[in-house]
Amino acid sequence: MDETGSSVNQTMYRGIIWSLLYLTASRPNVVFSLGLCARSQSNPKESHLKTAKRILRYFKGTQDLADADYACYLVDRKNTSGMDHFLGSCLISWGTRKQNSVALSTDEAEYVVAASCCAQLLWIKQQLEDFGGTH
């Protein structure tokens, strides 16, 4: 929270935040960071605008990539992971959350995300079997 920083144009800041919120449908890995930015819409400061612009640069630089958000949140250094699960061409599950532990590298952060994703897939598989969706 930046209580003392210089204020920025609230209308412009809100426009950036709402545009980024639209993009989170396809990029759930930034939902947590964007949620923090969205909290300051009523009184945005230069530091909030700087963070929103950083997210914009992230989108621009990773259009064709999947990326782990290793230690981006400087308060607790925990990775934010996002995942999408499809059954055929239908999105059946998606989510984003902060990991329970602090990863010491990008590789470790991605391993934790992969393990979480596999656990979710196993749960979905069990649900499908319980409801007779697979044989």
Side-chain angles (χ1 to χ4, degrees):
M1 294 180 57
D2 185 8
E3 302 284 334
T4 61
S6 301
S7 294
V8 296
N9 183 314
Q10 190 179 40
T11 303
M12 177 196 59
Y13 183 78
R14 283 184 177 175
I16 292 171
I17 296 302
W18 283 99
S19 296
L20 288 169
L21 284 170
Y22 175 77
L23 293 173
T24 61
S26 62
R27 303 292 292 275
N29 57 324
V30 298
V31 171
F32 179 77
S33 299
L34 188 54
L36 292 175
C37 289
R39 291 180 187 176
S40 60
Q41 290 184 74
S42 63
N43 189 20
K45 305 291 183 184
E46 284 185 24
S47 62
H48 302 125
L49 182 60
K50 182 179 176 183
T51 303
K53 287 181 177 181
R54 182 177 180 192
I55 295 171
L56 285 169
R57 283 191 303 275
Y58 170 80
F59 274 120
K60 183 179 179 184
T62 60
Q63 293 174 9
D64 300 327
L65 303 174
D67 192 19
D69 184 20
Y70 165 64
C72 184
Y73 185 49
L74 300 178
V75 172
D76 62 9
R77 300 277 184 190
K78 290 184 180 177
N79 178 44
T80 304
S81 58
M83 60 186 99
D84 300 321
H85 297 98
F86 290 85
L87 184 60
S89 61
C90 299
L91 178 67
I92 60 169
S93 170
W94 73 275
T96 184
R97 69 180 185 152
K98 198 169 11 167
Q99 292 180 355
N100 295 329
S101 60
V102 177
L104 299 177
S105 69
T106 302
D107 291 337
E108 183 180 351
E110 289 179 354
Y111 179 76
V112 171
V113 172
S116 177
C117 207
C118 288
Q120 180 75 12
L121 285 172
L122 290 172
W123 181 84
I124 291 170
K125 179 180 180 276
Q126 186 62 50
Q127 293 298 308
L128 286 171
E129 289 174 357
D130 289 348
F131 291 108
T134 62
H135 299 285

